[in-house]
Amino acid sequence: MAALLIVLAALYGAVAGVSLPRAHYRLSVEPWEPWRSAGPCGHALVGWLGRGRCGECGERYAPGALWWAGVTGAVCAGFAAVAGARPELAVWLLAAPVAVLLAGVDRSVRRLPDVLTLPLAAGVALLLGLAALIPGSAGSWPGALLGGAALGGCYLVLFLIHPSGMGFGDVKLALGLGCALGWYGWQVLFLGAFAGLLLGSLHGTALLLTRRAARGTALALGPFMLAGAWLGLLLGGATGT
């Protein structure tokens, strides 16, 4: 049963991932620019979900669907492997494609769009509240809400102290990640948040050492926050705290 659940979660993630390239391309713009409505070839883009290839001329404008399917499928399979059939698994699976899309956009243009971060935070908080009503859940909804407030508050303080070191989008992302991590308790919240900062710091150090970035260069922190949160949720789901 556990193996079947992992396979189904991976398939779901792969199918969801295939639909992300178009949204990634349309959202990967600077803050002052409107969302893209046409491909590089000039042909209009219909809808937000779909492959990253023009339907009229066939020109590719985003990474291939295979990459998105693999990453999203692996993320979902990891959740299924540790959370099992507990109610919160549905929340993690619904949030996973949004998280992967956010990581991709931030990596491309160092931006975390409000149209993704705010619904993610609200959706995770609401859905975890519903999951808490179902027997078999392994977390705490009040803990999730407190976790969102705590992590969001910490990132807000960091932003106010050093605004050039992170964007306000990171603060908004922290709200949703804090809710998810707080579901499993304060220890998981701390470990997930610390892992994200550690991964980001290691990446920045590696760029400095290889001279691919200079001091003061703006780096995308979102992908590392999301990766750290994923690791924290895997720990929380495995321990069932």
Side-chain angles (χ1 to χ4, degrees):
M1 180 62 181
L4 177 61
L5 185 63
I6 295 172
V7 171
L8 291 176
L11 289 175
Y12 156 80
V15 172
V18 169
S19 68
L20 297 180
R22 185 180 302 164
H24 171 262
Y25 175 77
R26 295 194 63 178
L27 291 171
S28 296
V29 296
E30 299 297 337
W32 57 86
E33 296 179 357
W35 307 131
R36 290 184 175 125
S37 59
C41 57
H43 294 131
L45 298 175
V46 180
W48 284 87
L49 301 179
R51 61 179 187 169
R53 187 184 294 274
C54 179
E56 295 189 40
C57 66
E59 179 180 348
R60 176 175 291 180
Y61 52 79
L66 183 61
W67 184 91
W68 293 96
V71 172
T72 313
V75 170
C76 292
F79 282 139
V82 298
R86 293 198 292 262
E88 64 265 24
L89 174 61
V91 183
W92 309 149
L93 294 182
L94 289 172
V98 181
V100 173
L101 179 57
L102 274 167
V105 172
D106 197 26
R107 183 175 180 273
S108 296
V109 293
R110 297 190 298 277
R111 182 185 183 188
L112 295 166
D114 290 349
V115 294
L116 295 179
T117 55
L118 297 181
L120 177 66
V124 168
L126 176 62
L127 292 175
L128 285 178
L130 296 176
L133 300 176
I134 303 174
S137 62
S140 164
W141 190 47
L145 297 181
L146 289 173
L151 191 59
C154 288
Y155 268 83
L156 177 59
V157 171
L158 292 174
F159 172 77
L160 294 175
I161 293 174
H162 188 46
S164 62
M166 67 172 58
F168 198 63
D170 297 320
V171 179
K172 299 169 187 175
L173 177 60
L175 291 172
L177 299 185
C179 279
L181 292 166
W183 170 260
Y184 287 126
W186 292 106
Q187 183 178 19
V188 171
L189 174 64
F190 173 79
L191 291 175
F194 177 76
L197 291 173
L198 178 61
L199 290 172
S201 298
L202 292 175
H203 175 69
T205 301
L207 292 179
L208 287 174
L209 292 176
T210 56
R211 298 184 178 180
R212 287 184 292 170
R215 292 186 181 276
T217 300
L219 301 176
L221 184 58
F224 304 103
M225 294 172 61
L226 289 160
W230 182 64
L231 294 174
L233 291 175
L234 293 185
L235 174 64
T239 56
T241 54

